[in-house]
Amino acid sequence: MREGAGAIVMVLREDWADPHVPLPAYQTAGAAGADIRANLPPDLRTKGIALAPMGRVLCPTGLRVAVAPGYEMQIRPRSGLAARHGITLVNSPGTIDSDYRGPLMMPVINLGEAPYVLRHGERIAQAIVAPVIRARFTQVATLDETARGAGGFGSTGLT
């Protein structure tokens, strides 16, 4: 796998953030997503953030990013957390635009049946950096016909 030309993501650590929490990183040579970790404020580092079933929280990462123009950073859940504990992201995938410079926060939700504690330094999401194609939107009087037509959810079969 190669790094994309121009796909550099500049990362700024917040002043309050723990510098020992690793920056986003790919865990294997073939990984498409770089794992992002919770970087909790000092008062929450020991106890973590408790999430009751159906509870949600904006989990801090302690980071701000600058994504290269022409790219986006998609934020996705980690499959292991989802499968084992029902922990996922509310808006998945989330998009970090190339012109956003605010704090990188993960909107985490507990869809599981048991409470879950988000721990300081825990891998909570993954980032995919992808090129962006900007479309032109043009109003027309009619659309072309297709075999599917206006069929919506489930219209192509259930299996």
Side-chain angles (χ1 to χ4, degrees):
M1 182 172 287
R2 65 180 183 86
E3 290 184 32
I8 294 173
V9 176
M10 306 300 286
V11 180
L12 174 71
R13 203 180 294 271
E14 300 268 11
D15 290 341
W16 58 265
D18 180 353
H20 296 101
V21 172
L23 295 178
Y26 299 98
Q27 298 301 306
T28 67
D35 287 344
I36 299 174
R37 296 173 183 268
N39 197 328
L40 305 182
D43 60 321
L44 295 176
R45 290 180 185 163
T46 302
K47 66 179 179 177
I49 298 174
L51 262 177
M54 296 307 297
R56 62 182 185 262
V57 67
L58 277 175
C59 182
T61 66
L63 306 175
R64 292 176 185 245
V65 296
V67 179
Y71 291 85
E72 67 162 327
M73 187 164 64
Q74 298 173 12
I75 306 299
R76 301 180 184 178
R78 292 193 62 245
S79 58
L81 279 178
R84 287 191 292 280
H85 305 287
I87 303 301
T88 190
L89 302 179
V90 176
N91 67 324
S92 179
T95 294
I96 307 301
D97 297 306
S98 65
D99 60 351
Y100 177 69
R101 296 296 182 269
L104 189 59
M105 304 283 282
M106 302 295 111
V108 179
I109 188 167
N110 180 357
L111 298 178
E113 298 174 358
Y116 186 83
V117 177
L118 291 171
R119 298 285 179 202
H120 181 63
E122 178 179 10
R123 296 180 294 155
I124 56 166
Q126 57 184 324
I128 311 288
V129 178
V132 172
I133 298 172
R134 291 183 55 116
R136 283 186 325 238
F137 296 89
T138 304
Q139 185 173 339
V140 297
T142 63
L143 299 175
D144 61 320
E145 295 293 324
T146 67
R148 182 177 180 174
F153 295 107
S155 67
T156 61
L158 298 176
T159 57

